[in-house]
Amino acid sequence: MNIAENLQQVLSELPDGVRLVAVSKFHPNEAIEEAYRTGQRIFGESKVQEMTAKYESLPKDIEWHFIGHLQTNKIKFIVPYVALIHGIDSYKLLVEVNKQAAKAGKVVNCLLQLHIAEEETKFGFSFGECREMLAAGEWKTLSNIQLCGLMGMATNTDDNEQIEKEFCSLSSFFKEVKDSWFADTEAFRELSMGMSHDYHQAIAAGSTLIRVGSKIFGDRTY
């Protein structure tokens, strides 16, 4: 298992404007350090405690992205250093991130997570719920968060047509949201979609951030 070679392989496939989040969750510091030595700086974690421990012990120029399901009582632990939270799946969560960010005296970058898969296990707003929340406008008063775009996960299936359809639906919803509420917001430009098994389709549909783990680090040990 050569992490450096795997990483370079994935990076070589990325067009301009698409960034890689190397999903390092459940992998040891040594694996991250190898990817770091190869030049990777963005890493994704899904457990607050694990991400915080890694943040404390690894180089400080790493950009940590939180890609898991975030519980409100854990937000305060990652706010001081998190670069981007991918999975904001409720207005309540956004409010809590804003509150903890205000206490820490900083602005936290966030993506709204949309539920595009046909699986009940995935989290996220429906398109309707997201429209409703944005139209209500209360989010505009949250001065310690910056909405930077949308995130979604396709159904875990071998049906490429279905995956493509789901990614395209999120991509077109992104354009709608951008035009309706963020036309003048330069920061609102990220579309986080695509993982190890489907990132090629995600890129074709307009993804700007892909979240790749097993293809770089191998299968993780729980």
Side-chain angles (χ1 to χ4, degrees):
M1 186 69 206
N2 189 319
I3 290 170
E5 281 176 22
N6 296 342
L7 179 61
Q8 280 161 339
Q9 174 61 46
V10 174
L11 289 171
S12 73
E13 298 168 354
L14 301 190
D16 281 350
V18 180
R19 294 185 297 154
L20 167 67
V21 180
V23 178
S24 48
K25 61 182 184 180
F26 309 125
H27 292 290
N29 283 6
E30 294 75 34
I32 297 173
E33 284 162 350
E34 189 175 337
Y36 180 90
R37 285 193 297 274
T38 312
Q40 180 65 19
R41 290 296 179 269
I42 306 175
F43 293 90
E45 293 283 335
S46 65
K47 296 275 185 283
V48 168
Q49 212 171 343
E50 185 183 354
M51 186 163 95
T52 302
K54 287 174 174 173
Y55 164 74
E56 297 293 353
S57 57
L58 287 162
K60 289 298 175 276
D61 63 335
I62 286 177
E63 191 177 301
W64 293 102
H65 288 208
F66 191 83
I67 59 172
H69 181 59
L70 188 55
Q71 294 164 301
T72 50
N73 62 340
K74 301 280 179 69
I75 293 167
K76 60 179 180 241
F77 300 113
I78 65 169
V79 153
Y81 65 86
V82 71
L84 182 65
I85 297 174
H86 285 236
I88 299 288
D89 59 6
S90 71
Y91 183 68
K92 188 180 123 195
L93 195 59
L94 207 53
V95 169
E96 188 60 28
V97 172
N98 183 70
K99 180 175 142 190
Q100 297 300 336
K103 282 184 189 171
K106 64 177 294 195
V107 175
V108 174
N109 294 324
C110 298
L111 303 179
L112 299 176
Q113 182 172 353
L114 278 296
H115 188 293
I116 57 171
E118 288 186 7
E119 296 156 345
E120 285 309 308
T121 52
K122 301 278 197 294
F123 295 98
F125 291 95
S126 68
F127 290 168
E129 287 164 345
C130 190
R131 279 190 199 103
E132 209 171 287
M133 184 200 82
L134 291 169
E138 287 172 35
W139 56 275
K140 292 176 184 170
T141 65
L142 307 178
S143 51
N144 290 81
I145 55 115
Q146 174 69 64
L147 291 177
C148 297
L150 307 178
M151 181 269 238
M153 283 183 268
T155 303
N156 189 6
T157 174
D158 294 329
D159 182 346
N160 286 333
E161 276 183 29
Q162 185 180 344
I163 292 170
E164 193 179 329
K165 187 182 84 183
E166 289 169 358
F167 282 153
C168 288
S169 75
L170 184 57
S171 186
S172 108
F173 185 68
F174 173 84
K175 292 185 183 77
E176 177 195 324
V177 169
K178 174 78 175 164
D179 293 345
S180 303
W181 290 285
F182 298 96
D184 301 323
T185 309
E186 198 189 329
F188 194 91
R189 59 174 183 265
E190 303 294 359
L191 186 51
S192 169
M193 55 185 195
M195 300 192 285
S196 284
H197 60 288
D198 59 16
Y199 68 87
H200 292 105
Q201 287 139 295
I203 290 168
S207 177
T208 65
L209 285 167
I210 60 165
R211 309 178 302 273
V212 178
S214 55
K215 194 154 185 185
I216 296 167
F217 298 109
D219 291 325
R220 50 187 185 263
T221 47
Y222 291 91

Short mmCIF file of all heavy atoms in Angstrom, two decimals, residues 153-200:
data_model
loop_
_atom_site.label_atom_id
_atom_site.label_comp_id
_atom_site.label_asym_id
_atom_site.label_seq_id
_atom_site.Cartn_x
_atom_site.Cartn_y
_atom_site.Cartn_z
N MET A 153 -24.09 13.35 -0.74
CA MET A 153 -23.56 12.01 -0.98
C MET A 153 -24.54 11.23 -1.84
O MET A 153 -25.73 11.17 -1.52
CB MET A 153 -23.36 11.26 0.33
CG MET A 153 -22.14 11.71 1.08
SD MET A 153 -21.93 10.73 2.60
CE MET A 153 -22.81 11.73 3.77
N ALA A 154 -24.04 10.65 -2.91
CA ALA A 154 -24.90 9.84 -3.78
C ALA A 154 -25.18 8.49 -3.12
O ALA A 154 -24.48 8.06 -2.20
CB ALA A 154 -24.23 9.63 -5.13
N THR A 155 -26.21 7.82 -3.61
CA THR A 155 -26.53 6.48 -3.14
C THR A 155 -25.34 5.55 -3.36
O THR A 155 -24.65 5.65 -4.38
CB THR A 155 -27.75 5.93 -3.92
OG1 THR A 155 -28.84 6.85 -3.75
CG2 THR A 155 -28.19 4.58 -3.39
N ASN A 156 -25.09 4.67 -2.40
CA ASN A 156 -24.00 3.70 -2.53
C ASN A 156 -24.49 2.55 -3.41
O ASN A 156 -25.07 1.59 -2.93
CB ASN A 156 -23.59 3.21 -1.14
CG ASN A 156 -22.33 2.37 -1.20
OD1 ASN A 156 -21.69 2.25 -2.25
ND2 ASN A 156 -21.96 1.80 -0.09
N THR A 157 -24.29 2.68 -4.70
CA THR A 157 -24.84 1.72 -5.66
C THR A 157 -23.88 1.56 -6.83
O THR A 157 -23.01 2.43 -7.06
CB THR A 157 -26.21 2.20 -6.18
OG1 THR A 157 -26.67 1.32 -7.21
CG2 THR A 157 -26.13 3.61 -6.77
N ASP A 158 -24.02 0.48 -7.58
CA ASP A 158 -23.22 0.29 -8.80
C ASP A 158 -23.93 0.88 -10.02
O ASP A 158 -23.41 0.81 -11.14
CB ASP A 158 -22.96 -1.20 -9.04
CG ASP A 158 -22.08 -1.80 -7.96
OD1 ASP A 158 -21.23 -1.05 -7.42
OD2 ASP A 158 -22.24 -2.99 -7.63
N ASP A 159 -25.12 1.43 -9.80
CA ASP A 159 -25.90 2.00 -10.90
C ASP A 159 -25.38 3.39 -11.23
O ASP A 159 -25.74 4.38 -10.59
CB ASP A 159 -27.38 2.05 -10.48
CG ASP A 159 -28.28 2.58 -11.59
OD1 ASP A 159 -27.74 3.15 -12.56
OD2 ASP A 159 -29.51 2.43 -11.48
N ASN A 160 -24.50 3.45 -12.23
CA ASN A 160 -23.86 4.72 -12.57
C ASN A 160 -24.84 5.79 -13.01
O ASN A 160 -24.64 6.98 -12.76
CB ASN A 160 -22.81 4.51 -13.67
CG ASN A 160 -21.57 3.83 -13.11
OD1 ASN A 160 -21.27 3.96 -11.93
ND2 ASN A 160 -20.87 3.09 -13.94
N GLU A 161 -25.92 5.37 -13.66
CA GLU A 161 -26.92 6.35 -14.09
C GLU A 161 -27.58 7.03 -12.91
O GLU A 161 -27.84 8.24 -12.93
CB GLU A 161 -27.99 5.67 -14.96
CG GLU A 161 -27.57 5.55 -16.41
CD GLU A 161 -28.67 4.95 -17.29
OE1 GLU A 161 -29.87 5.13 -16.95
OE2 GLU A 161 -28.32 4.31 -18.28
N GLN A 162 -27.85 6.25 -11.87
CA GLN A 162 -28.48 6.83 -10.68
C GLN A 162 -27.54 7.80 -9.98
O GLN A 162 -27.94 8.90 -9.60
CB GLN A 162 -28.91 5.73 -9.70
CG GLN A 162 -29.66 6.31 -8.51
CD GLN A 162 -30.11 5.26 -7.52
OE1 GLN A 162 -30.13 4.07 -7.82
NE2 GLN A 162 -30.47 5.69 -6.33
N ILE A 163 -26.26 7.41 -9.86
CA ILE A 163 -25.27 8.28 -9.23
C ILE A 163 -25.17 9.60 -10.00
O ILE A 163 -25.19 10.69 -9.43
CB ILE A 163 -23.89 7.59 -9.18
CG1 ILE A 163 -23.94 6.40 -8.21
CG2 ILE A 163 -22.80 8.56 -8.77
CD1 ILE A 163 -22.72 5.50 -8.26
N GLU A 164 -25.10 9.48 -11.32
CA GLU A 164 -24.99 10.67 -12.18
C GLU A 164 -26.22 11.57 -12.01
O GLU A 164 -26.09 12.79 -11.91
CB GLU A 164 -24.88 10.19 -13.63
CG GLU A 164 -24.46 11.29 -14.60
CD GLU A 164 -24.34 10.76 -16.02
OE1 GLU A 164 -23.99 9.57 -16.20
OE2 GLU A 164 -24.61 11.54 -16.94
N LYS A 165 -27.39 10.95 -11.95
CA LYS A 165 -28.63 11.71 -11.80
C LYS A 165 -28.63 12.49 -10.47
O LYS A 165 -29.00 13.66 -10.42
CB LYS A 165 -29.82 10.75 -11.85
CG LYS A 165 -31.18 11.42 -11.87
CD LYS A 165 -32.31 10.38 -11.86
CE LYS A 165 -32.60 9.97 -10.42
NZ LYS A 165 -33.62 8.93 -10.28
N GLU A 166 -28.18 11.83 -9.41
CA GLU A 166 -28.16 12.47 -8.09
C GLU A 166 -27.16 13.63 -8.04
O GLU A 166 -27.47 14.71 -7.53
CB GLU A 166 -27.86 11.42 -7.01
CG GLU A 166 -29.03 10.47 -6.81
CD GLU A 166 -28.73 9.25 -5.95
OE1 GLU A 166 -27.56 9.10 -5.50
OE2 GLU A 166 -29.65 8.45 -5.72
N PHE A 167 -25.97 13.41 -8.58
CA PHE A 167 -24.97 14.48 -8.60
C PHE A 167 -25.45 15.66 -9.46
O PHE A 167 -25.27 16.82 -9.09
CB PHE A 167 -23.63 13.96 -9.13
CG PHE A 167 -22.84 13.16 -8.13
CD1 PHE A 167 -21.94 12.19 -8.56
CD2 PHE A 167 -22.96 13.39 -6.77
CE1 PHE A 167 -21.20 11.45 -7.65
CE2 PHE A 167 -22.22 12.65 -5.85
CZ PHE A 167 -21.33 11.69 -6.29
N CYS A 168 -26.05 15.36 -10.59
CA CYS A 168 -26.53 16.44 -11.47
C CYS A 168 -27.67 17.23 -10.81
O CYS A 168 -27.77 18.44 -10.97
CB CYS A 168 -26.99 15.89 -12.82
SG CYS A 168 -25.59 15.36 -13.84
N SER A 169 -28.49 16.53 -10.02
CA SER A 169 -29.58 17.24 -9.34
C SER A 169 -29.01 18.21 -8.31
O SER A 169 -29.50 19.33 -8.15
CB SER A 169 -30.55 16.25 -8.67
OG SER A 169 -29.99 15.69 -7.50
N LEU A 170 -27.94 17.80 -7.62
CA LEU A 170 -27.33 18.69 -6.62
C LEU A 170 -26.61 19.85 -7.30
O LEU A 170 -26.67 20.99 -6.84
CB LEU A 170 -26.35 17.91 -5.74
CG LEU A 170 -25.72 18.72 -4.59
CD1 LEU A 170 -26.78 19.33 -3.68
CD2 LEU A 170 -24.77 17.85 -3.77
N SER A 171 -25.98 19.55 -8.42
CA SER A 171 -25.27 20.59 -9.16
C SER A 171 -26.23 21.66 -9.66
O SER A 171 -25.97 22.87 -9.56
CB SER A 171 -24.53 19.96 -10.34
OG SER A 171 -23.74 20.91 -10.98
N SER A 172 -27.39 21.22 -10.14
CA SER A 172 -28.35 22.21 -10.65
C SER A 172 -28.99 22.97 -9.49
O SER A 172 -29.27 24.16 -9.60
CB SER A 172 -29.34 21.52 -11.59
OG SER A 172 -30.59 21.39 -11.03
N PHE A 173 -29.18 22.30 -8.34
CA PHE A 173 -29.70 22.99 -7.15
C PHE A 173 -28.68 24.03 -6.66
O PHE A 173 -29.05 25.13 -6.24
CB PHE A 173 -30.03 21.98 -6.05
CG PHE A 173 -30.67 22.61 -4.84
CD1 PHE A 173 -31.95 23.15 -4.90
CD2 PHE A 173 -29.99 22.66 -3.63
CE1 PHE A 173 -32.54 23.75 -3.79
CE2 PHE A 173 -30.58 23.25 -2.51
CZ PHE A 173 -31.85 23.79 -2.60
N PHE A 174 -27.39 23.69 -6.73
CA PHE A 174 -26.34 24.63 -6.35
C PHE A 174 -26.46 25.92 -7.17
O PHE A 174 -26.39 27.03 -6.63
CB PHE A 174 -24.96 24.00 -6.54
CG PHE A 174 -23.81 24.97 -6.33
CD1 PHE A 174 -23.33 25.24 -5.06
CD2 PHE A 174 -23.25 25.63 -7.41
CE1 PHE A 174 -22.30 26.16 -4.86
CE2 PHE A 174 -22.23 26.55 -7.23
CZ PHE A 174 -21.74 26.80 -5.95
N LYS A 175 -26.66 25.76 -8.47
CA LYS A 175 -26.77 26.94 -9.34
C LYS A 175 -27.98 27.78 -8.94
O LYS A 175 -27.93 29.01 -8.92
CB LYS A 175 -26.87 26.52 -10.81
CG LYS A 175 -25.59 25.91 -11.35
CD LYS A 175 -25.68 25.62 -12.85
CE LYS A 175 -24.44 24.94 -13.40
NZ LYS A 175 -24.38 23.49 -13.07
N GLU A 176 -29.08 27.10 -8.64
CA GLU A 176 -30.30 27.81 -8.21
C GLU A 176 -30.05 28.60 -6.92
O GLU A 176 -30.41 29.78 -6.82
CB GLU A 176 -31.43 26.78 -7.98
CG GLU A 176 -32.72 27.40 -7.47
CD GLU A 176 -33.69 26.35 -6.91
OE1 GLU A 176 -33.77 25.23 -7.48
OE2 GLU A 176 -34.37 26.64 -5.92
N VAL A 177 -29.42 27.95 -5.96
CA VAL A 177 -29.15 28.60 -4.67
C VAL A 177 -28.19 29.77 -4.85
O VAL A 177 -28.39 30.86 -4.30
CB VAL A 177 -28.59 27.57 -3.65
CG1 VAL A 177 -28.05 28.25 -2.41
CG2 VAL A 177 -29.68 26.57 -3.26
N LYS A 178 -27.17 29.55 -5.63
CA LYS A 178 -26.17 30.61 -5.90
C LYS A 178 -26.86 31.82 -6.54
O LYS A 178 -26.68 32.95 -6.09
CB LYS A 178 -25.07 30.06 -6.82
CG LYS A 178 -24.05 31.09 -7.30
CD LYS A 178 -23.03 31.41 -6.24
CE LYS A 178 -21.94 32.34 -6.77
NZ LYS A 178 -21.16 32.95 -5.69
N ASP A 179 -27.67 31.58 -7.57
CA ASP A 179 -28.34 32.68 -8.26
C ASP A 179 -29.35 33.39 -7.37
O ASP A 179 -29.51 34.61 -7.44
CB ASP A 179 -29.05 32.17 -9.53
CG ASP A 179 -28.06 31.70 -10.59
OD1 ASP A 179 -26.86 32.02 -10.46
OD2 ASP A 179 -28.48 30.99 -11.53
N SER A 180 -30.06 32.62 -6.53
CA SER A 180 -31.14 33.20 -5.73
C SER A 180 -30.66 33.93 -4.48
O SER A 180 -31.23 34.94 -4.09
CB SER A 180 -32.12 32.11 -5.30
OG SER A 180 -32.65 31.43 -6.42
N TRP A 181 -29.63 33.40 -3.82
CA TRP A 181 -29.25 33.95 -2.52
C TRP A 181 -27.80 34.38 -2.38
O TRP A 181 -27.45 35.11 -1.45
CB TRP A 181 -29.57 32.95 -1.40
CG TRP A 181 -31.04 32.79 -1.18
CD1 TRP A 181 -31.88 33.68 -0.54
CD2 TRP A 181 -31.87 31.71 -1.61
NE1 TRP A 181 -33.17 33.20 -0.55
CE2 TRP A 181 -33.20 31.99 -1.19
CE3 TRP A 181 -31.62 30.52 -2.30
CZ2 TRP A 181 -34.26 31.14 -1.45
CZ3 TRP A 181 -32.68 29.67 -2.56
CH2 TRP A 181 -33.98 29.97 -2.14
N PHE A 182 -26.93 33.91 -3.28
CA PHE A 182 -25.50 34.18 -3.09
C PHE A 182 -24.83 34.72 -4.35
O PHE A 182 -23.62 34.56 -4.51
CB PHE A 182 -24.78 32.90 -2.63
CG PHE A 182 -25.27 32.38 -1.31
CD1 PHE A 182 -26.23 31.37 -1.26
CD2 PHE A 182 -24.79 32.89 -0.11
CE1 PHE A 182 -26.70 30.88 -0.04
CE2 PHE A 182 -25.25 32.42 1.11
CZ PHE A 182 -26.20 31.41 1.15
N ALA A 183 -25.61 35.35 -5.21
CA ALA A 183 -25.06 35.82 -6.48
C ALA A 183 -23.86 36.76 -6.27
O ALA A 183 -22.91 36.76 -7.06
CB ALA A 183 -26.14 36.53 -7.30
N ASP A 184 -23.91 37.54 -5.19
CA ASP A 184 -22.82 38.50 -4.94
C ASP A 184 -21.84 38.02 -3.87
O ASP A 184 -21.02 38.79 -3.38
CB ASP A 184 -23.41 39.85 -4.50
CG ASP A 184 -24.34 40.42 -5.57
OD1 ASP A 184 -24.03 40.25 -6.75
OD2 ASP A 184 -25.38 41.02 -5.19
N THR A 185 -21.95 36.75 -3.49
CA THR A 185 -21.07 36.22 -2.43
C THR A 185 -20.00 35.34 -3.06
O THR A 185 -20.26 34.20 -3.44
CB THR A 185 -21.89 35.38 -1.41
OG1 THR A 185 -23.00 36.15 -0.98
CG2 THR A 185 -21.03 34.98 -0.22
N GLU A 186 -18.81 35.90 -3.16
CA GLU A 186 -17.72 35.16 -3.82
C GLU A 186 -17.40 33.87 -3.08
O GLU A 186 -17.03 32.86 -3.68
CB GLU A 186 -16.48 36.05 -3.88
CG GLU A 186 -15.47 35.55 -4.90
CD GLU A 186 -14.14 36.29 -4.82
OE1 GLU A 186 -14.15 37.49 -4.47
OE2 GLU A 186 -13.12 35.66 -5.11
N ALA A 187 -17.55 33.89 -1.75
CA ALA A 187 -17.19 32.71 -0.94
C ALA A 187 -18.09 31.51 -1.22
O ALA A 187 -17.69 30.36 -1.01
CB ALA A 187 -17.27 33.06 0.55
N PHE A 188 -19.32 31.77 -1.71
CA PHE A 188 -20.24 30.66 -1.98
C PHE A 188 -19.90 30.06 -3.35
O PHE A 188 -20.43 30.46 -4.38
CB PHE A 188 -21.70 31.15 -1.96
CG PHE A 188 -22.71 30.03 -1.90
CD1 PHE A 188 -23.16 29.55 -0.68
CD2 PHE A 188 -23.18 29.43 -3.05
CE1 PHE A 188 -24.08 28.50 -0.61
CE2 PHE A 188 -24.09 28.39 -3.01
CZ PHE A 188 -24.55 27.92 -1.79
N ARG A 189 -18.99 29.08 -3.31
CA ARG A 189 -18.52 28.53 -4.60
C ARG A 189 -18.18 27.04 -4.53
O ARG A 189 -17.74 26.46 -5.51
CB ARG A 189 -17.29 29.31 -5.08
CG ARG A 189 -16.11 29.30 -4.12
CD ARG A 189 -14.89 29.97 -4.75
NE ARG A 189 -13.74 29.91 -3.87
CZ ARG A 189 -13.39 30.89 -3.04
NH1 ARG A 189 -14.12 32.00 -2.98
NH2 ARG A 189 -12.34 30.78 -2.26
N GLU A 190 -18.35 26.42 -3.35
CA GLU A 190 -17.94 25.02 -3.21
C GLU A 190 -19.11 24.05 -3.37
O GLU A 190 -20.19 24.27 -2.85
CB GLU A 190 -17.30 24.78 -1.83
CG GLU A 190 -16.09 25.65 -1.52
CD GLU A 190 -14.87 25.39 -2.40
OE1 GLU A 190 -14.93 24.51 -3.29
OE2 GLU A 190 -13.85 26.08 -2.20
N LEU A 191 -18.83 22.99 -4.11
CA LEU A 191 -19.79 21.90 -4.25
C LEU A 191 -19.02 20.62 -3.90
O LEU A 191 -18.19 20.14 -4.66
CB LEU A 191 -20.33 21.85 -5.68
CG LEU A 191 -21.45 20.85 -5.98
CD1 LEU A 191 -22.58 20.96 -4.98
CD2 LEU A 191 -21.97 21.06 -7.39
N SER A 192 -19.28 20.13 -2.67
CA SER A 192 -18.54 18.98 -2.15
C SER A 192 -19.31 17.71 -2.44
O SER A 192 -20.32 17.42 -1.81
CB SER A 192 -18.32 19.15 -0.64
OG SER A 192 -17.83 17.97 -0.06
N MET A 193 -18.86 16.97 -3.43
CA MET A 193 -19.49 15.68 -3.74
C MET A 193 -18.50 14.78 -4.46
O MET A 193 -17.63 15.25 -5.18
CB MET A 193 -20.79 15.86 -4.55
CG MET A 193 -20.69 16.63 -5.83
SD MET A 193 -22.33 16.88 -6.59
CE MET A 193 -21.82 17.38 -8.25
N GLY A 194 -18.65 13.48 -4.20
CA GLY A 194 -17.75 12.51 -4.81
C GLY A 194 -16.82 11.89 -3.79
O GLY A 194 -16.16 12.60 -3.03
N MET A 195 -16.80 10.54 -3.75
CA MET A 195 -15.92 9.79 -2.86
C MET A 195 -15.11 8.79 -3.69
O MET A 195 -15.16 8.83 -4.91
CB MET A 195 -16.76 9.13 -1.76
CG MET A 195 -17.52 10.18 -0.94
SD MET A 195 -18.27 9.55 0.59
CE MET A 195 -19.66 8.65 -0.05
N SER A 196 -14.39 7.91 -3.01
CA SER A 196 -13.46 7.02 -3.72
C SER A 196 -14.10 6.31 -4.92
O SER A 196 -13.48 6.16 -5.96
CB SER A 196 -12.90 5.96 -2.76
OG SER A 196 -11.92 6.53 -1.93
N HIS A 197 -15.35 5.86 -4.78
CA HIS A 197 -15.96 5.03 -5.83
C HIS A 197 -16.72 5.84 -6.89
O HIS A 197 -17.11 5.28 -7.91
CB HIS A 197 -16.91 4.01 -5.20
CG HIS A 197 -18.02 4.64 -4.41
ND1 HIS A 197 -17.80 5.26 -3.19
CD2 HIS A 197 -19.34 4.78 -4.68
CE1 HIS A 197 -18.95 5.74 -2.74
NE2 HIS A 197 -19.89 5.47 -3.62
N ASP A 198 -16.94 7.15 -6.65
CA ASP A 198 -17.77 7.89 -7.62
C ASP A 198 -17.27 9.30 -7.92
O ASP A 198 -18.00 10.11 -8.48
CB ASP A 198 -19.23 7.93 -7.13
CG ASP A 198 -19.41 8.60 -5.77
OD1 ASP A 198 -18.48 9.31 -5.31
OD2 ASP A 198 -20.48 8.42 -5.15
N TYR A 199 -16.01 9.60 -7.57
CA TYR A 199 -15.57 10.99 -7.73
C TYR A 199 -15.44 11.42 -9.19
O TYR A 199 -15.58 12.61 -9.51
CB TYR A 199 -14.29 11.29 -6.94
CG TYR A 199 -13.03 10.62 -7.40
CD1 TYR A 199 -12.22 11.20 -8.38
CD2 TYR A 199 -12.60 9.43 -6.82
CE1 TYR A 199 -11.04 10.60 -8.79
CE2 TYR A 199 -11.41 8.82 -7.21
CZ TYR A 199 -10.64 9.40 -8.19
OH TYR A 199 -9.46 8.80 -8.58
N HIS A 200 -15.22 10.46 -10.10
CA HIS A 200 -15.14 10.85 -11.52
C HIS A 200 -16.49 11.43 -11.99
O HIS A 200 -16.53 12.44 -12.70
CB HIS A 200 -14.73 9.66 -12.39
CG HIS A 200 -13.32 9.23 -12.14
ND1 HIS A 200 -13.00 8.09 -11.44
CD2 HIS A 200 -12.14 9.80 -12.49
CE1 HIS A 200 -11.67 7.97 -11.37
NE2 HIS A 200 -11.13 9.00 -12.00
#
